[in-house]
Amino acid sequence: MKDFDRRQFLSIAAATTLGLALPSRRALTRSLFDAPADHKIRIGTGLVEVAPDRILSTTTYNGQFPGPLLRFKEGQPAVVEIYNDTNTPEQLHWHGQRVPVDVDGSAEEGTPYIPARGTRRIEITPGPAGFRFYHTHNLAGADLAMGQYSGQVGPVYIEPRHEPGAYDREVFLTLKEFEPSLARGGDMAMDFLSPATIVPSLKTAADRTEALAKGRPQGYEVGYQVFTIHGKMLGHGEPVRVKHGQRVLFHVLNGSATEIRSLALPGHQFRVVALDGNPVPRPTIVPVLWIGTGERVSAIVEMNRPGVWVLGDLADDDRKRGMGIVVEYAGRKGKPLWVKPPSSKWDYSRFANPGGAHTKPDQVFDLTFTKDQAADHGFNRWSINGRAFSMDKMEPLLHLSLGKRYRLRLRNASDDIHPIHLHRHTFEVTRFAGKACSGLHKDVILVGGFQEVEVDFTADQPGMSLFHCHSQLHMDFGFMALFECS
Ligand SMILES: [Cu+2]
């Protein structure tokens, strides 16, 4: 705590010297003197009752899963006290927020750890407004009890200064699997992204690296036994209780360590109003939501088909093992009904403005992702531009100038889909698989097998920012890079 106060003092002293605007007197008083915390988070072992006969033991926030919904007000400084009751130093990452390295929650960037059996008290100025989340940023490697395989995931809502209220109620849902295990190969849905345009040279490059791996087995993938929404297997939690005519705004977070999820509600449609917590330029009605690891979708459902329904994943195996929640209309009883929706594609550009970026970037960087099959103790090793990240060699991959606009051309020379995430920034999707678009602001984007996606962003955060695939299995085996900005 002393450490925190000193740093605060130094940053204020520096701001004064530079003649910068000081935080408000209230903010100053709160941080320098020991004001009560706005939120207290306790990291420790918790029991999660996913069903009456299934109680899991895992690391949680405040003994519950998901972690408590943390509400902040945009731009209003808040103090968070984090207690670590485990024997492992921890990192708590504020996903989707523009916060300094000191509090972002990434050891790679230089955030101090929350010591084992210790405490860290931080102050953040929350923003941008919208649906964010917080999660551990520890490596797990081959230890499937660690990192985001555990229960260290919770939602954040940052209230905007003006809330548009075109709905009757809000429901926050966190999707998460438990009881992971390693297997060779996987069965993740691959063909839902649209357009499906691939770049032949990326396929050729992948074929070449695959040929080099000839004779090696498939790399490990992670599978799960237990699937939950809001910490409960389908049929075991409280249903979402609705009334005929209500407009319900669902804020859905994919808190998975590795999986892409889908969601449908038979007889109903989703009006997608925000992606990754940011309002979309063109709210669009879709029958199915697809949500990559770390992505969020906010969608309004008009409750106009009274009954008892399953809001669930399209994958039958996963839904039967728990990935669903019951939606029950007032006065209706009976067995929840699931109906497979007609097939549909997920096209990010439908939510964006047609046509490309309005601002020309100052510089374009190509980032090519490759897989070296089973190259690291049976795990696939991942590289960005030929470099697999390691904590021993942490030199930044890109050097950025503060205030400049950059374009990243994300080039996937592998057959997997990767949820690509950039810390401390929001990017604009300007081209998806050959289709130009604009106005879609996100912090995670799915890049399909052999596909190319372009995102633009302004480097407005000094210091290191981590860029990585949000799959724990990929980031832990090389799929990370640092961008340094000064
Ligand atoms: Cu990945």
Side-chain angles (χ1 to χ4, degrees), residues 128-132 156-158 160 163-164 166-167 170-173 248-254 270-286 288-292 294-301 346-348 350-352 426-427 429 439-444:
F131 183 26
R132 316 282 165 220
V156 165
Y157 193 77
I158 303 173
E163 182 85 69
Y167 55 87
E170 275 178 310
V171 175
F172 287 82
L173 298 176
V248 179
L249 172 56
F250 287 95
H251 290 296
V252 188
L253 158 65
N254 183 349
F270 301 95
R271 185 165 188 267
V272 174
V273 294
L275 291 178
D276 295 350
N278 309 312
V280 298
R282 289 196 298 172
T284 297
I285 290 172
V286 296
V288 176
L289 304 178
W290 285 93
I291 316 165
E295 283 190 304
R296 290 87 69 211
V297 175
S298 302
I300 295 173
V301 178
W346 183 251
D347 182 350
Y348 285 115
R350 289 187 67 193
F351 311 110
T426 306
F427 52 69
V429 183
L440 185 64
H441 298 276
K442 294 184 85 318
D443 51 59
V444 180

Coordinates of all heavy atoms in Angstrom, one line a residue, residues 128-132 156-158 160 163-164 166-167 170-173 248-254 270-286 288-292 294-301 346-348 350-352 426-427 429 439-444:
P128 N -13.0 2.9 -21.8 CA -14.2 3.6 -22.2 C -15.4 2.9 -21.6 O -15.4 1.7 -21.2 CB -14.2 3.5 -23.7 CG -13.3 2.3 -24.1 CD -12.3 2.2 -23.0
A129 N -16.6 3.6 -21.7 CA -17.8 3.1 -21.2 C -18.2 1.8 -21.9 O -17.8 1.6 -23.1 CB -18.9 4.1 -21.3
G130 N -18.9 0.9 -21.2 CA -19.5 -0.3 -21.9 C -19.1 -1.5 -21.1 O -18.7 -1.5 -20.0
F131 N -19.4 -2.7 -21.8 CA -19.3 -4.0 -21.2 C -17.8 -4.5 -21.3 O -17.4 -4.7 -22.4 CB -20.3 -4.9 -21.9 CG -20.3 -6.3 -21.4 CD1 -20.0 -6.6 -20.1 CD2 -20.8 -7.3 -22.2 CE1 -20.1 -7.9 -19.6 CE2 -20.9 -8.6 -21.8 CZ -20.5 -8.9 -20.5
R132 N -17.1 -4.6 -20.2 CA -15.7 -5.0 -20.2 C -15.7 -6.3 -19.3 O -16.7 -6.8 -18.8 CB -14.8 -3.9 -19.6 CG -15.1 -2.5 -20.2 CD -14.5 -2.3 -21.6 NE -15.1 -1.1 -22.2 CZ -15.5 -1.1 -23.5 NH1 -15.3 -2.1 -24.3 NH2 -16.0 0.0 -24.0
V156 N -17.5 -6.6 -16.0 CA -17.3 -5.2 -15.6 C -18.3 -4.4 -16.5 O -18.5 -4.7 -17.7 CB -15.9 -4.7 -15.9 CG1 -15.9 -3.2 -15.8 CG2 -14.9 -5.3 -15.0
Y157 N -19.1 -3.5 -15.8 CA -19.9 -2.6 -16.6 C -19.5 -1.2 -16.3 O -19.6 -0.8 -15.1 CB -21.4 -2.8 -16.4 CG -22.1 -2.1 -17.5 CD1 -22.2 -2.6 -18.8 CD2 -22.7 -0.9 -17.2 CE1 -22.9 -1.9 -19.8 CE2 -23.4 -0.2 -18.2 CZ -23.4 -0.7 -19.5 OH -24.1 0.0 -20.5
I158 N -19.1 -0.4 -17.3 CA -18.7 1.0 -17.0 C -19.8 1.8 -17.6 O -20.1 1.9 -18.8 CB -17.4 1.3 -17.7 CG1 -16.3 0.4 -17.2 CG2 -17.0 2.8 -17.5 CD1 -14.9 0.5 -18.0
P160 N -21.9 4.7 -19.0 CA -21.6 5.9 -19.8 C -22.2 7.1 -19.1 O -23.1 7.0 -18.2 CB -22.2 5.6 -21.1 CG -23.3 4.6 -20.9 CD -22.9 3.9 -19.6
E163 N -26.9 7.1 -20.7 CA -27.3 5.7 -21.0 C -28.5 5.7 -21.9 O -29.6 6.2 -21.6 CB -27.6 5.0 -19.7 CG -28.0 3.5 -19.8 CD -26.8 2.6 -19.9 OE1 -26.1 2.5 -18.9 OE2 -26.5 2.1 -21.0
P164 N -28.4 5.2 -23.2 CA -29.6 5.1 -24.0 C -30.4 3.9 -23.5 O -29.9 2.8 -23.4 CB -29.0 4.8 -25.4 CG -27.7 4.2 -25.2 CD -27.2 4.6 -23.8
A166 N -33.2 1.8 -24.5 CA -34.2 1.2 -25.3 C -34.5 -0.3 -24.9 O -34.7 -1.1 -25.8 CB -33.8 1.3 -26.8
Y167 N -34.4 -0.6 -23.6 CA -34.7 -2.0 -23.2 C -35.3 -1.9 -21.8 O -35.3 -0.9 -21.2 CB -33.4 -2.8 -23.2 CG -32.3 -2.1 -22.4 CD1 -32.2 -2.4 -21.0 CD2 -31.4 -1.3 -23.0 CE1 -31.2 -1.8 -20.3 CE2 -30.4 -0.6 -22.2 CZ -30.4 -0.9 -20.8 OH -29.4 -0.3 -20.1
E170 N -31.7 -5.7 -18.0 CA -30.4 -6.2 -18.5 C -30.1 -7.5 -17.8 O -30.4 -7.7 -16.6 CB -29.3 -5.2 -18.0 CG -29.0 -4.0 -18.8 CD -27.9 -3.2 -18.2 OE1 -28.0 -2.8 -17.0 OE2 -26.9 -2.8 -18.8
V171 N -29.5 -8.4 -18.5 CA -29.1 -9.7 -18.0 C -27.6 -10.0 -18.4 O -27.3 -9.9 -19.6 CB -30.0 -10.9 -18.5 CG1 -29.5 -12.2 -18.0 CG2 -31.4 -10.7 -18.1
F172 N -26.8 -10.2 -17.4 CA -25.3 -10.5 -17.7 C -25.1 -12.0 -17.7 O -25.5 -12.6 -16.7 CB -24.4 -9.8 -16.7 CG -24.3 -8.3 -16.8 CD1 -25.3 -7.5 -16.3 CD2 -23.2 -7.7 -17.5 CE1 -25.2 -6.1 -16.5 CE2 -23.1 -6.4 -17.7 CZ -24.1 -5.5 -17.2
L173 N -24.5 -12.5 -18.7 CA -24.3 -14.0 -18.8 C -22.8 -14.2 -19.1 O -22.3 -13.7 -20.1 CB -25.2 -14.7 -19.8 CG -26.7 -14.6 -19.6 CD1 -27.4 -15.2 -20.8 CD2 -27.1 -15.2 -18.3
V248 N -35.3 -7.6 -23.5 CA -34.2 -7.9 -22.6 C -32.9 -7.7 -23.3 O -32.7 -8.2 -24.4 CB -34.4 -9.4 -22.1 CG1 -33.2 -9.8 -21.1 CG2 -35.7 -9.6 -21.4
L249 N -32.0 -7.0 -22.6 CA -30.7 -6.7 -23.1 C -29.7 -7.7 -22.5 O -29.5 -7.7 -21.3 CB -30.2 -5.3 -22.9 CG -28.8 -4.9 -23.2 CD1 -28.4 -5.2 -24.6 CD2 -28.5 -3.5 -22.9
F250 N -29.3 -8.7 -23.3 CA -28.3 -9.7 -22.8 C -26.9 -9.2 -23.1 O -26.6 -8.8 -24.2 CB -28.5 -11.0 -23.5 CG -29.7 -11.8 -23.1 CD1 -30.9 -11.7 -23.9 CD2 -29.7 -12.6 -22.0 CE1 -32.0 -12.4 -23.5 CE2 -30.8 -13.3 -21.6 CZ -32.0 -13.2 -22.4
H251 N -26.1 -9.2 -22.0 CA -24.7 -8.9 -22.1 C -23.9 -10.2 -22.0 O -23.8 -10.7 -20.8 CB -24.2 -7.9 -21.0 CG -24.7 -6.5 -21.2 ND1 -24.4 -5.7 -22.2 CD2 -25.5 -5.8 -20.3 CE1 -25.0 -4.5 -22.1 NE2 -25.7 -4.5 -20.9
V252 N -23.5 -10.8 -23.1 CA -22.9 -12.1 -23.0 C -21.4 -12.0 -23.1 O -20.8 -11.4 -24.0 CB -23.4 -13.0 -24.2 CG1 -22.9 -14.5 -24.0 CG2 -24.9 -13.0 -24.2
L253 N -20.7 -12.7 -22.1 CA -19.2 -12.7 -22.1 C -18.8 -14.1 -22.3 O -19.2 -15.0 -21.6 CB -18.8 -12.2 -20.7 CG -17.3 -12.6 -20.3 CD1 -16.3 -12.0 -21.2 CD2 -17.1 -12.2 -18.8
N254 N -17.9 -14.3 -23.3 CA -17.3 -15.6 -23.4 C -16.0 -15.6 -22.5 O -15.0 -15.1 -22.9 CB -16.9 -16.0 -24.9 CG -16.3 -17.4 -25.0 OD1 -16.0 -18.0 -24.0 ND2 -16.2 -17.8 -26.2
F270 N -31.9 -12.1 -32.1 CA -31.1 -11.2 -31.3 C -30.8 -9.9 -32.1 O -30.4 -10.0 -33.3 CB -29.7 -11.8 -31.0 CG -29.7 -13.1 -30.3 CD1 -29.7 -14.3 -30.9 CD2 -29.7 -13.1 -28.9 CE1 -29.7 -15.5 -30.2 CE2 -29.7 -14.3 -28.2 CZ -29.7 -15.5 -28.8
R271 N -31.1 -8.8 -31.5 CA -30.7 -7.5 -32.2 C -29.4 -7.1 -31.6 O -29.3 -6.6 -30.4 CB -31.8 -6.5 -31.9 CG -31.6 -5.2 -32.7 CD -32.8 -4.3 -32.7 NE -32.7 -3.2 -33.6 CZ -32.3 -2.0 -33.2 NH1 -32.0 -1.8 -31.9 NH2 -32.1 -1.0 -34.0
V272 N -28.3 -7.3 -32.3 CA -26.9 -7.0 -31.8 C -26.8 -5.5 -31.7 O -26.8 -4.8 -32.8 CB -25.9 -7.7 -32.6 CG1 -24.5 -7.3 -32.1 CG2 -26.0 -9.2 -32.5
V273 N -26.5 -4.9 -30.5 CA -26.4 -3.5 -30.4 C -25.0 -3.1 -30.1 O -24.6 -1.9 -30.3 CB -27.4 -2.9 -29.4 CG1 -28.8 -3.0 -29.9 CG2 -27.2 -3.5 -28.0
A274 N -24.2 -4.0 -29.5 CA -22.8 -3.7 -29.2 C -21.9 -4.9 -29.3 O -22.4 -6.0 -29.0 CB -22.7 -3.1 -27.8
L275 N -20.7 -4.7 -29.7 CA -19.7 -5.8 -29.7 C -18.5 -5.4 -28.9 O -18.0 -4.3 -29.0 CB -19.2 -6.1 -31.2 CG -20.3 -6.8 -32.1 CD1 -19.7 -7.0 -33.5 CD2 -20.8 -8.1 -31.5
D276 N -18.1 -6.3 -28.0 CA -17.0 -6.0 -27.1 C -17.3 -4.7 -26.3 O -16.5 -3.9 -25.9 CB -15.6 -5.8 -27.7 CG -15.2 -7.1 -28.4 OD1 -15.8 -8.2 -28.1 OD2 -14.2 -7.1 -29.1
G277 N -18.6 -4.5 -26.0 CA -19.1 -3.4 -25.2 C -19.2 -2.0 -25.9 O -19.6 -1.1 -25.3
N278 N -18.8 -2.0 -27.2 CA -18.9 -0.8 -28.0 C -20.1 -0.8 -28.9 O -20.2 -1.7 -29.7 CB -17.6 -0.6 -28.8 CG -16.4 -0.8 -27.9 OD1 -16.3 -0.2 -26.8 ND2 -15.4 -1.6 -28.3
P279 N -21.0 0.3 -28.9 CA -22.1 0.3 -29.7 C -21.7 0.1 -31.2 O -20.7 0.7 -31.6 CB -22.7 1.7 -29.5 CG -22.2 2.1 -28.2 CD -20.9 1.5 -28.0
V280 N -22.5 -0.7 -31.9 CA -22.1 -0.9 -33.4 C -22.8 0.1 -34.2 O -23.9 0.6 -33.9 CB -22.5 -2.4 -33.8 CG1 -21.7 -3.4 -33.0 CG2 -24.0 -2.6 -33.7
P281 N -22.2 0.5 -35.4 CA -22.8 1.5 -36.3 C -24.2 1.0 -36.8 O -25.1 1.8 -37.0 CB -21.8 1.6 -37.4 CG -20.5 1.1 -36.9 CD -20.9 0.1 -35.9
R282 N -24.3 -0.3 -37.1 CA -25.5 -0.8 -37.6 C -26.1 -2.0 -36.8 O -25.7 -3.1 -37.0 CB -25.3 -1.3 -39.1 CG -25.1 -0.2 -40.1 CD -25.2 -0.7 -41.5 NE -24.3 -1.7 -41.8 CZ -24.3 -2.4 -43.0 NH1 -25.3 -2.2 -43.8 NH2 -23.4 -3.3 -43.3
P283 N -26.9 -1.7 -35.8 CA -27.5 -2.8 -35.0 C -28.3 -3.7 -36.0 O -29.0 -3.2 -36.8 CB -28.5 -2.0 -34.1 CG -27.9 -0.7 -33.9 CD -27.3 -0.3 -35.3
T284 N -28.0 -5.0 -35.9 CA -28.5 -5.9 -36.9 C -29.1 -7.1 -36.2 O -28.6 -7.6 -35.1 CB -27.4 -6.3 -37.8 OG1 -26.9 -5.2 -38.5 CG2 -27.8 -7.4 -38.8
I285 N -30.2 -7.7 -36.8 CA -30.9 -8.8 -36.2 C -30.3 -10.1 -36.7 O -30.1 -10.3 -38.0 CB -32.4 -8.7 -36.5 CG1 -33.0 -7.6 -35.6 CG2 -33.1 -10.0 -36.1 CD1 -34.4 -7.3 -35.9
V286 N -29.9 -11.0 -35.8 CA -29.3 -12.3 -36.2 C -30.0 -13.4 -35.4 O -30.5 -13.2 -34.3 CB -27.8 -12.3 -36.0 CG1 -27.1 -11.3 -36.8 CG2 -27.5 -12.1 -34.5
V288 N -28.4 -16.3 -34.5 CA -27.4 -17.0 -33.7 C -26.2 -16.0 -33.4 O -25.8 -15.2 -34.2 CB -26.8 -18.2 -34.4 CG1 -25.7 -18.9 -33.6 CG2 -27.9 -19.2 -34.8
L289 N -25.8 -16.1 -32.1 CA -24.6 -15.3 -31.7 C -23.4 -16.2 -31.8 O -23.4 -17.4 -31.3 CB -24.7 -14.7 -30.3 CG -25.9 -13.9 -30.0 CD1 -25.9 -13.5 -28.5 CD2 -26.0 -12.7 -30.9
W290 N -22.3 -15.7 -32.3 CA -21.0 -16.4 -32.3 C -20.0 -15.5 -31.5 O -19.9 -14.4 -31.8 CB -20.4 -16.7 -33.6 CG -21.1 -17.8 -34.3 CD1 -22.2 -17.7 -35.2 CD2 -20.9 -19.2 -34.2 NE1 -22.6 -18.9 -35.6 CE2 -21.8 -19.9 -35.0 CE3 -19.9 -20.0 -33.5 CZ2 -21.8 -21.3 -35.1 CZ3 -20.0 -21.4 -33.6 CH2 -20.9 -22.0 -34.4
I291 N -19.4 -16.1 -30.5 CA -18.6 -15.3 -29.5 C -17.2 -16.0 -29.3 O -17.2 -17.1 -28.7 CB -19.3 -15.1 -28.2 CG1 -20.8 -14.8 -28.4 CG2 -18.7 -14.0 -27.3 CD1 -21.7 -15.0 -27.2
G292 N -16.2 -15.3 -29.8 CA -14.8 -15.9 -29.6 C -14.4 -15.7 -28.1 O -14.9 -14.9 -27.4
G294 N -13.0 -14.3 -25.0 CA -12.7 -12.9 -24.6 C -13.6 -11.9 -25.3 O -13.6 -10.8 -24.9
E295 N -14.4 -12.3 -26.3 CA -15.3 -11.4 -26.9 C -16.6 -11.2 -26.1 O -16.9 -12.1 -25.2 CB -15.8 -11.9 -28.3 CG -14.7 -11.7 -29.4 CD -15.2 -12.0 -30.8 OE1 -15.8 -13.1 -31.0 OE2 -15.1 -11.1 -31.6
R296 N -17.3 -10.1 -26.3 CA -18.6 -9.9 -25.6 C -19.6 -9.4 -26.7 O -19.2 -8.7 -27.7 CB -18.5 -8.7 -24.6 CG -17.8 -9.1 -23.3 CD -16.3 -8.8 -23.4 NE -16.0 -7.4 -23.5 CZ -14.9 -6.9 -24.1 NH1 -14.1 -7.7 -24.7 NH2 -14.7 -5.6 -24.1
V297 N -20.8 -9.9 -26.6 CA -21.9 -9.5 -27.4 C -23.0 -8.9 -26.6 O -23.4 -9.6 -25.6 CB -22.4 -10.6 -28.3 CG1 -23.6 -10.2 -29.2 CG2 -21.3 -11.1 -29.3
S298 N -23.5 -7.7 -26.9 CA -24.7 -7.2 -26.2 C -25.8 -7.2 -27.3 O -25.7 -6.6 -28.3 CB -24.5 -5.8 -25.7 OG -23.3 -5.8 -24.8
A299 N -26.9 -7.9 -26.9 CA -28.0 -8.0 -27.9 C -29.4 -8.0 -27.2 O -29.5 -8.5 -26.1 CB -27.9 -9.4 -28.6
I300 N -30.3 -7.3 -27.8 CA -31.7 -7.2 -27.3 C -32.6 -8.2 -27.9 O -32.6 -8.5 -29.1 CB -32.3 -5.8 -27.6 CG1 -31.4 -4.7 -26.8 CG2 -33.7 -5.7 -27.2 CD1 -31.8 -3.3 -27.2
V301 N -33.3 -8.9 -27.0 CA -34.3 -9.9 -27.5 C -35.7 -9.4 -27.1 O -35.9 -9.1 -25.9 CB -34.0 -11.3 -26.8 CG1 -35.1 -12.3 -27.3 CG2 -32.6 -11.8 -27.2
W346 N -21.7 -15.8 -39.4 CA -21.4 -14.7 -38.6 C -20.5 -13.7 -39.4 O -19.4 -14.1 -39.7 CB -20.7 -15.1 -37.3 CG -20.4 -14.1 -36.3 CD1 -19.1 -13.6 -36.0 CD2 -21.3 -13.4 -35.4 NE1 -19.2 -12.6 -35.0 CE2 -20.5 -12.5 -34.7 CE3 -22.7 -13.4 -35.3 CZ2 -21.1 -11.6 -33.7 CZ3 -23.3 -12.6 -34.3 CH2 -22.5 -11.7 -33.5
D347 N -21.0 -12.6 -39.7 CA -20.3 -11.6 -40.6 C -20.2 -10.3 -39.8 O -21.2 -9.5 -39.7 CB -21.2 -11.5 -41.9 CG -20.5 -10.5 -42.9 OD1 -19.5 -9.9 -42.5 OD2 -21.0 -10.5 -44.0
Y348 N -19.0 -10.1 -39.3 CA -18.7 -8.8 -38.5 C -19.2 -7.6 -39.3 O -19.6 -6.6 -38.8 CB -17.3 -8.7 -38.2 CG -16.7 -9.6 -37.1 CD1 -15.8 -10.6 -37.4 CD2 -17.1 -9.4 -35.8 CE1 -15.2 -11.4 -36.4 CE2 -16.5 -10.2 -34.8 CZ -15.6 -11.2 -35.1 OH -15.1 -12.0 -34.1
R350 N -21.5 -6.9 -41.2 CA -23.0 -6.6 -41.2 C -23.2 -5.5 -40.1 O -24.2 -4.8 -40.1 CB -23.8 -7.8 -40.9 CG -23.9 -8.8 -42.0 CD -24.8 -9.9 -41.8 NE -26.2 -9.4 -41.7 CZ -27.2 -10.1 -41.2 NH1 -27.0 -11.3 -40.8 NH2 -28.5 -9.6 -41.2
F351 N -22.4 -5.5 -39.0 CA -22.6 -4.6 -37.9 C -21.9 -3.3 -38.1 O -22.0 -2.3 -37.3 CB -22.2 -5.2 -36.6 CG -22.7 -6.6 -36.4 CD1 -21.9 -7.7 -36.4 CD2 -24.1 -6.8 -36.2 CE1 -22.4 -9.0 -36.2 CE2 -24.6 -8.1 -36.0 CZ -23.8 -9.2 -36.0
A352 N -21.0 -3.2 -39.2 CA -20.2 -2.1 -39.4 C -20.7 -1.2 -40.6 O -21.7 -1.6 -41.2 CB -18.7 -2.6 -39.8
T426 N -8.6 0.3 -28.2 CA -9.7 -0.2 -28.9 C -9.3 -0.1 -30.4 O -8.8 1.0 -30.7 CB -11.0 0.6 -28.6 OG1 -11.2 0.7 -27.2 CG2 -12.2 0.0 -29.3
F427 N -9.5 -1.1 -31.2 CA -9.2 -1.0 -32.6 C -10.4 -0.9 -33.4 O -11.5 -1.3 -33.0 CB -8.2 -2.1 -33.1 CG -8.6 -3.5 -32.7 CD1 -9.7 -4.1 -33.4 CD2 -7.9 -4.2 -31.8 CE1 -10.0 -5.4 -33.1 CE2 -8.2 -5.6 -31.6 CZ -9.3 -6.1 -32.2
V429 N -12.2 -2.3 -36.9 CA -12.0 -3.3 -37.9 C -12.2 -2.6 -39.3 O -13.3 -2.0 -39.5 CB -13.1 -4.4 -37.7 CG1 -12.9 -5.5 -38.8 CG2 -13.0 -5.0 -36.3
G439 N -16.0 1.7 -38.6 CA -16.9 2.1 -37.5 C -17.1 1.0 -36.5 O -17.8 1.2 -35.5
L440 N -16.5 -0.2 -36.7 CA -16.7 -1.3 -35.8 C -15.5 -1.3 -34.8 O -14.4 -1.6 -35.2 CB -16.8 -2.6 -36.5 CG -17.2 -3.8 -35.7 CD1 -18.5 -3.7 -35.1 CD2 -17.1 -5.1 -36.6
H441 N -15.8 -1.0 -33.6 CA -14.7 -0.8 -32.6 C -14.7 -2.0 -31.6 O -15.7 -2.3 -31.0 CB -14.8 0.5 -31.8 CG -14.7 1.7 -32.7 ND1 -13.5 2.2 -33.1 CD2 -15.7 2.4 -33.4 CE1 -13.7 3.2 -33.9 NE2 -15.0 3.4 -34.1
K442 N -13.6 -2.7 -31.6 CA -13.5 -3.9 -30.8 C -12.1 -4.0 -30.1 O -11.2 -3.2 -30.3 CB -13.6 -5.2 -31.7 CG -15.0 -5.3 -32.4 CD -15.2 -6.5 -33.2 CE -15.6 -7.8 -32.5 NZ -15.2 -8.3 -31.3
D443 N -12.0 -5.0 -29.2 CA -10.7 -5.3 -28.6 C -10.3 -6.8 -28.8 O -9.2 -7.1 -28.4 CB -10.6 -4.9 -27.1 CG -11.8 -5.4 -26.3 OD1 -11.9 -6.7 -26.2 OD2 -12.5 -4.6 -25.7
V444 N -11.2 -7.6 -29.4 CA -10.8 -8.9 -29.8 C -11.5 -9.1 -31.1 O -12.6 -8.7 -31.4 CB -11.4 -10.0 -28.8 CG1 -11.0 -11.4 -29.3 CG2 -10.9 -9.8 -27.4

